[in-house]
Amino acid sequence: MSRMFVPGPVDVADEVLQAQAVPMLPHRSKEFETIFRRASEKSQGLFYTIYRVFLTASSGTGLQEAAIRNFVNRRVLSVVNGAFADRWYEVAMSNGKDAEKLSFDWDTPASPDRVAETVKNGGFGALTIVHNETSTGMENPVREIAEAVSAASPDTLIFVDAVSSLAGAKIEMDAWGLDMVLTSSQKCLALPPGLALGAVSDRAMKKAESVENRGWYFDILRMEKHRNKDSSPATPAMSLIYALDYQLDRIFAEGLENRFARHSAMAKRVQGWAEAHDLSMYAPEGFRSQTVTTIKNDRGFSVADLNAFLKQREMRIANGYGQLKDKTFRIAHMGETQLEDIEDLLSAMEEFLKK
Ligand SMILES: Cc1ncc(COP(=O)(O)O)c(C=O)c1O
């Protein structure tokens, strides 16, 4: 087994894997419904929300699509400064919405003022933004953007992709005034892939009532009806729910603040190491991800060779994503990863660089 320093799927603790290895129950049984409800209610803590958290048998992209299908009548603004933000724009377009892209250079955080200027009088029912761009290793200032958007266009709903940051960095859904925050199981939650979590505000739920063609599988009103009975319209990913229920207890036992501090200590260590080895970060200081560091390949080595070298030592990092392949590489420090693991990785990388 290689230690995974790739930004998902990440390593899953043995005991969490084992939590899945229990017999099936009928999903419409009191026994399972109790676990489903418990997992969903405990998840609210991760989002800092009093609102409902949906658990869907999909990856995070499913909930990107759900946000568009359920809460957008026509106009949506997609803030784009990375590959996953661009995907959300494409999801909106391919669902027939009138989507507009507000682009920033990929190494530039989205500007609250520019976003606010664009939404003002733009007739946008909603805005999509990625909190932590896994392609660039950059965090957008979502809190400041949400504040500016609420002032400029109070009725615009705010949807946030926190796929690679929720449970690794603090995102306060209610305090920041967000309408939907979504994440995937295989990143900072350190679960196997296949489950997505989405927290949704009351005003977004109300909006859904006026939206046509919400589809079936992700129809949020149908999902809510079932959620109120501690269930889901279709068969849930039961084994993953068992694992989530178990993992949430581990996460809260560590303490969210401690968990965030662990992630940011690892981020700092990786950034410091890179700088000391004449490698610069893709994202500007002050906006660097706490969960994945994207490093420019300033020394021009082969990322494939580096990974082959690391694999012999049972470790893996990730190449740059899409257009950043080979120009950058990425070190994830999320989920179960500890500072000691990062030290092992950096020593191996040091050996590679000396070769
Ligand atoms: C920021 C971000 N958004 C969305 C996705 C897509 O998530 P999934 O593969 O769970 O659908 C990813 C996957 O890496 C991501 O990093």
Side-chain angles (χ1 to χ4, degrees):
M1 194 186 106
S2 303
R3 266 185 282 177
M4 300 281 266
F5 298 95
V6 304
V10 300
D11 289 319
V12 181
D14 279 344
E15 57 187 290
V16 177
L17 286 174
Q18 287 309 316
Q20 299 176 100
V22 293
M24 289 300 123
L25 291 164
H27 65 285
R28 306 219 184 275
S29 62
K30 258 280 145 287
E31 295 101 304
F32 181 73
E33 285 165 4
T34 302
I35 300 169
F36 190 77
R37 178 197 189 127
R38 190 167 66 215
S40 164
E41 286 182 352
K42 281 193 288 193
S43 300
Q44 291 173 293
L46 299 175
F47 293 85
Y48 292 83
T49 188
I50 57 162
Y51 295 119
R52 63 202 62 68
V53 177
F54 292 101
L55 308 175
T56 59
S58 72
S59 74
T61 308
L63 288 185
Q64 282 191 339
E65 186 148 293
I68 299 295
R69 289 296 290 259
N70 284 293
F71 309 123
V72 177
N73 266 318
R74 202 169 61 82
R75 298 259 291 152
V76 55
L77 182 71
S78 291
V79 176
V80 174
N81 53 357
F84 293 103
D86 201 43
R87 179 185 293 182
W88 214 349
Y89 166 75
E90 279 177 25
V91 166
M93 291 296 282
S94 60
N95 277 289
K97 305 295 178 181
D98 180 6
E100 190 171 311
K101 203 191 271 202
L102 175 62
S103 296
F104 294 86
D105 290 340
W106 280 27
D107 58 0
T108 308
S111 136
D113 289 347
R114 268 193 62 203
V115 177
E117 242 167 65
T118 313
V119 290
K120 200 170 178 145
N121 309 318
F124 295 105
L127 169 139
T128 68
I129 185 161
V130 172
H131 175 250
N132 189 73
E133 248 305 342
T134 321
S135 53
T136 60
M138 190 167 69
E139 228 185 58
N140 274 313
V142 166
R143 181 160 58 92
E144 291 79 357
I145 289 170
E147 200 180 315
V149 166
S150 305
S153 177
D155 292 336
T156 302
L157 301 178
I158 302 169
F159 307 146
V160 177
D161 171 326
V163 166
S164 59
S165 48
L166 196 97
K170 195 171 196 172
I171 300 163
E172 296 178 273
M173 170 163 167
D174 297 357
W176 298 5
L178 311 177
D179 292 287
M180 182 176 187
V181 179
L182 62 96
T183 198
S184 307
S185 52
Q186 75 277 14
K187 313 260 186 201
C188 299
L189 284 167
L191 291 167
L195 192 68
L197 287 72
V200 179
S201 73
D202 281 348
R203 74 171 188 156
M205 294 302 293
K206 185 86 201 132
K207 174 76 181 285
E209 292 171 12
S210 70
V211 176
E212 289 183 351
N213 297 318
R214 297 186 303 271
W216 198 99
Y217 192 71
F218 288 117
D219 175 358
I220 212 84
L221 298 183
R222 177 178 280 110
M223 284 162 65
E224 178 72 344
K225 218 166 84 195
H226 285 263
R227 197 194 60 81
N228 282 328
K229 292 184 281 178
D230 305 324
S231 189
S232 53
T235 315
M238 294 176 67
S239 309
L240 287 165
I241 303 284
Y242 294 144
L244 172 67
D245 184 42
Y246 186 84
Q247 177 68 330
L248 286 167
D249 290 343
R250 292 178 80 244
I251 290 174
F252 294 126
E254 178 180 13
L256 285 177
E257 293 293 345
N258 293 338
R259 193 173 177 87
F260 303 148
R262 173 166 61 82
H263 282 75
S264 80
M266 293 189 291
K268 275 204 184 70
R269 175 69 183 113
V270 171
Q271 291 164 20
W273 179 90
E275 271 159 3
H277 292 80
D278 301 321
L279 293 163
S280 54
M281 258 50 66
Y282 188 79
E285 174 117 50
F287 297 93
R288 291 181 187 152
S289 166
Q290 305 300 293
T291 60
V292 55
T293 299
T294 300
I295 300 173
K296 286 194 210 164
N297 188 5
D298 295 323
R299 293 171 64 153
F301 51 74
S302 154
V303 178
D305 286 354
L306 168 61
N307 238 338
F309 180 86
L310 292 172
K311 242 168 122 180
Q312 289 167 359
R313 283 150 186 78
E314 301 184 324
M315 295 184 244
R316 290 171 203 249
I317 59 156
N319 204 326
Y321 190 93
Q323 68 192 46
L324 296 177
K325 187 165 179 221
D326 295 321
K327 296 187 191 121
T328 65
F329 58 93
R330 293 171 298 157
I331 298 177
H333 27 79
M334 59 172 73
E336 303 292 347
T337 305
Q338 304 290 329
L339 200 51
E340 302 84 80
D341 301 307
I342 294 293
E343 295 302 345
D344 292 344
L345 173 73
L346 298 179
S347 314
M349 289 185 56
E350 191 127 355
E351 239 185 282
F352 173 82
L353 290 178
K354 278 193 193 132
K355 276 200 329 152

